[in-house]
Amino acid sequence: MGRRYNSSKANRTGKMCVTMIVLAMVGVMSVQIVNLYKKDQQLIAQEKLLEKQKEGELERREEIEAYDAYTKTQEYVEDIAKSKLGLVYKDEIIFKEK
């Protein structure tokens, strides 16, 4: 009988150790899951911000391309000649405010 008692006590101690190890592992894994979830949420927010910035830059690129096309037109040359150099056509009349 003594032997069974020791064996039963050893089994109980072994089971307790295994249970404690499993609980510790579950605790560590739970903390890691929470940390990964937080990191995931931060990355999602950062992705949304970068997507907005990308849209803004695409709009800016379109504006620059439109301006670049405008600078290659005769209208642009005339606008610059009038505004910067004060040039006009021979038959053109200019009205100035006093």
Side-chain angles (χ1 to χ4, degrees):
M1 275 245 166
R3 197 168 197 178
R4 281 190 176 187
Y5 177 71
N6 289 338
S7 177
S8 176
K9 189 175 184 180
N11 281 344
R12 216 180 279 162
T13 305
K15 287 179 184 179
M16 290 285 277
C17 287
V18 169
T19 302
M20 295 302 269
I21 291 171
V22 169
L23 288 175
M25 289 176 63
V26 168
V28 168
M29 289 173 37
S30 296
V31 169
Q32 291 299 323
I33 288 170
V34 169
N35 287 341
L36 287 174
Y37 179 76
K38 287 179 183 178
K39 180 79 171 179
D40 185 50
Q41 295 303 312
Q42 290 173 348
L43 291 174
I44 288 171
Q46 184 179 9
E47 181 182 27
K48 287 179 183 178
L49 176 64
L50 291 173
E51 194 63 39
K52 280 186 178 181
Q53 288 177 349
K54 177 183 171 186
E55 289 173 10
E57 291 300 318
L58 289 174
E59 289 175 10
R60 185 170 176 253
R61 183 177 87 184
E62 289 174 6
E63 290 172 2
I64 290 172
E65 288 173 352
Y67 183 74
D68 182 50
Y70 170 67
T71 60
K72 295 175 182 171
T73 64
Q74 183 65 30
E75 181 184 1
Y76 173 77
V77 173
E78 290 174 0
D79 288 344
I80 294 298
K82 289 178 183 178
S83 65
K84 304 283 182 184
L85 304 174
L87 300 176
V88 294
Y89 286 106
K90 291 179 184 178
D91 59 347
E92 191 172 18
I93 301 171
I94 296 181
F95 296 96
K96 293 186 179 181
E97 292 184 37
K98 287 187 179 181

